[in-house]
Amino acid sequence: MKRKNKPTIWLLFLSIVYMFVCCVVFFSLALIVVKLVISHSVSIEQSDIKNILIVSGIAGGAAALRSWFFAKIDERKARKSTPSDPE
């Protein structure tokens, strides 16, 4: 029997860390591109880094919690439904 990954707290934590890192990379690249296009130079200040970390924490946490929540809903639906092709 094939074992699926269950949505555990450990997987939630890993998802939050993964999404946080992805958001930091994406928002940092977006900041660099926007500053380069607008002012033709890139000068990143400490407040920019702080804002990126805060926004990444919010976006990464929300995305990971949403995916974990829907995985829990799918797990509950899978337990309630009967198989359509019993053997």
Side-chain angles (χ1 to χ4, degrees):
M1 186 167 152
K2 194 175 182 181
R3 184 175 181 255
K4 281 187 166 183
N5 287 338
K6 288 189 173 187
T8 62
I9 298 297
W10 175 247
L11 284 176
L12 173 64
F13 176 72
L14 285 177
S15 297
I16 289 173
V17 170
Y18 175 74
M19 290 303 298
F20 175 77
V21 170
C22 289
C23 287
V24 166
V25 169
F26 175 75
F27 292 143
S28 297
L29 290 175
L31 176 70
I32 290 170
V33 168
V34 167
K35 285 194 177 236
L36 192 60
V37 168
I38 290 175
S39 64
H40 302 292
S41 67
V42 178
S43 61
I44 298 176
E45 300 172 4
Q46 188 173 1
S47 63
D48 293 333
I49 295 171
K50 181 181 175 185
N51 289 337
I52 286 173
L53 292 175
I54 290 170
V55 170
S56 296
I58 293 169
L65 281 171
R66 184 186 64 219
S67 66
W68 186 77
F69 179 71
F70 283 119
K72 286 298 255 186
I73 290 174
D74 289 342
E75 178 187 5
R76 173 170 261 175
K77 283 183 183 178
R79 273 191 277 146
K80 286 185 177 181
S81 66
T82 58
S84 59
D85 188 20
E87 292 182 17

